[in-house]
Amino acid sequence: MCADHVGQAPDYAARRGALRSLLVENGVDALLVTDLVNLRYLTGFTGSNAALLVHSWDMRNAEERTVIGTDGRYRTQVAEQVPDLRAEIARATARRIIELAGEWQLGRVGYESHIVTVDQHRGFVDQCTGLEFVATPGLVEQLRTVKDAYEVAQLRAACTAGDDGLATLLERGLLRPGRTEKQVARDLEWAMFEHGADAVSFETIVAAGVNSAVPHHRPTDAVLATGDFVKLDFGAMIGGYHSDMTRTFVLGRPSDWQREVYALVEASQRAGREALRPGVKVDEVDAASRSVIEAAGHGKLFVHGLGHGVGLQIHEAPSIAKNGTGTLLAGVAVTVEPGVYFPGRGGVRIEDTLVVREGGPELLTNTSKDLTVVE
């Protein structure tokens, strides 16, 4: 089984069973899974080359014709991580899986059309003329949207590593004037590793002074100075699951405009968190937060969506934005991250990772959101 850090391993067979119900609804006899993140979700396999055929015929025996393919480098790994499925060892893994689908005369085979290239699709069709390949985008992603208890435990652990890493950075006095953005970013990343992170979720953002007005600024050799806003956007990965958090600090005594913009973003972020409820439309959540900033006359300075899903990928469905579609479900993990950015001056973003629950969201990132002054 794949290594996990928190709790029991997932029930991969149950996940595949849920997927089969979607295959039946979409009128296909099997699904060819080539996206490695989706494949990991369904099997636990973490290698870099694999394909999976999930069979939907005769639900009682469907696992017998559900097969994973990988190459010889992963012969031992696939046996350890996916002991409950037949494994085919071949360098051209998808080709071998399609060959089996043809031998079994499956008929209609779905494929991840949002992942597969035009050339790959042409190769599928040319290889096996007896199969009908049907575009079935987003089926596994649909399942991944709602997190089970195992997934929430992994997310909670990843968020804790982020919280503890930031606390360590501050306790060691590593966020201070005279240091560079790059130095702070590397120290924060190392502190997350010290607290159990397997990897960082994405390239850590440290943006000081005027750079804090750039939403996705990449750390440079810019030197932190007294009076700066310093925006830290970062995350830890544990067991394949990502955390995501942003906090904005002030080096030295904050000016009046800094206090005002920080209070505004904090109020906006609180409104967004409080709007998270099962059954609420995602664009309404965005509106609840965005309206606070718009009422203050700074709507044009909030230049991105309010948040996004998070899990095995740092950005997953749903998108919480003005043009977002769909409604929230209990168990969905999302970020809430409003920001106000004054070009050439500075900006503030505050972000948490949360899980949608009945009665109010579960907060996974617990670092204080009060305006923190670093002397």
Side-chain angles (χ1 to χ4, degrees), residues 251-308:
L251 300 183
R253 183 177 178 179
S255 63
D256 289 343
W257 81 270
Q258 288 175 321
R259 290 186 182 278
E260 289 172 5
V261 69
Y262 193 94
L264 176 63
V265 174
E266 186 179 26
S268 172
Q269 208 258 356
R270 185 186 317 114
R273 296 196 321 267
E274 292 174 350
L276 294 175
R277 293 287 192 281
V280 176
K281 294 180 179 179
V282 294
D283 59 345
E284 293 177 356
V285 178
D286 181 276
S289 180
R290 192 173 301 274
S291 63
V292 175
I293 294 173
E294 290 175 339
H298 296 312
K300 292 183 178 179
L301 301 180
F302 182 4
V303 296
H304 51 73
L306 179 64
H308 55 83

Side-chain angles (χ1 to χ4, degrees), residues 12-247:
Y12 295 113
R15 291 178 179 178
R16 294 191 294 268
L19 176 60
R20 289 189 183 97
S21 297
L22 293 180
L23 300 187
V24 172
E25 291 176 15
N26 283 269
V28 294
D29 302 307
L31 177 67
L32 175 65
V33 181
T34 51
D35 180 84
L36 291 174
V37 178
N38 288 339
L39 197 145
R40 176 175 184 165
Y41 176 80
L42 294 169
T43 69
F45 184 68
T46 60
S48 64
N49 180 33
L52 175 72
L53 185 73
V54 179
H55 191 235
S56 67
W57 281 6
D58 189 354
M59 302 289 273
R60 294 168 298 176
N61 301 311
E63 288 282 84
E64 295 178 9
R65 285 192 174 178
T66 293
V67 57
I68 185 171
T70 187
D71 64 65
R73 296 172 297 168
Y74 299 111
R75 185 185 299 271
T76 300
Q77 182 176 331
V78 75
E80 292 176 346
Q81 291 185 331
V82 197
D84 54 339
L85 291 182
R86 170 180 171 178
E88 290 287 319
I89 306 300
R91 183 64 185 175
T93 54
R95 185 177 183 86
R96 174 55 184 150
I97 295 300
I98 292 171
E99 188 177 277
L100 283 174
E103 291 175 6
W104 292 335
Q105 299 180 336
L106 291 185
R108 291 168 57 84
V109 176
Y111 68 96
E112 297 177 305
S113 55
H114 59 306
I115 302 295
V116 173
T117 67
V118 172
D119 286 347
Q120 287 172 330
H121 176 260
R122 184 180 298 115
F124 297 165
V125 173
D126 291 345
Q127 179 189 342
C128 200
T129 57
L131 298 177
E132 178 185 357
F133 290 95
V134 180
T136 50
L139 296 186
V140 183
E141 287 86 349
Q142 181 178 333
L143 296 177
R144 282 171 46 198
T145 300
V146 176
K147 272 53 181 182
D148 59 29
Y150 168 86
E151 293 179 289
V152 174
Q154 299 295 319
L155 287 168
R156 193 178 292 118
C159 289
T160 297
D163 281 324
D164 291 346
L166 177 57
T168 295
L169 181 86
L170 297 174
E171 289 166 2
R172 292 175 178 171
L174 298 174
L175 181 67
R176 65 174 187 270
R179 308 199 76 222
T180 69
E181 293 173 338
K182 285 183 178 178
Q183 288 173 326
V184 174
R186 299 297 84 80
D187 287 335
L188 176 53
E189 290 171 349
W190 182 248
M192 288 190 287
F193 282 117
E194 289 182 313
H195 289 285
D198 299 327
V200 295
S201 294
F202 50 89
E203 183 181 8
T204 297
I205 295 172
V206 177
V210 297
N211 293 336
S212 63
V214 181
H216 276 190
H217 172 74
R218 302 182 70 178
T220 68
D221 291 322
V223 177
L224 280 61
T226 299
D228 281 352
F229 268 140
V230 183
K231 182 181 67 198
L232 307 179
D233 187 347
F234 59 98
M237 187 192 304
I238 288 183
Y241 286 82
H242 301 72
S243 70
D244 198 356
M245 179 168 70
T246 305
R247 294 293 186 268

Side-chain angles (χ1 to χ4, degrees), residues 341-364:
Y341 312 94
F342 293 89
R345 194 177 188 188
V348 174
R349 181 165 66 249
I350 302 172
E351 174 187 20
D352 285 311
T353 299
L354 312 97
V355 179
V356 178
R357 304 288 194 196
E358 295 286 353
E362 177 186 355
L363 181 65
L364 301 186

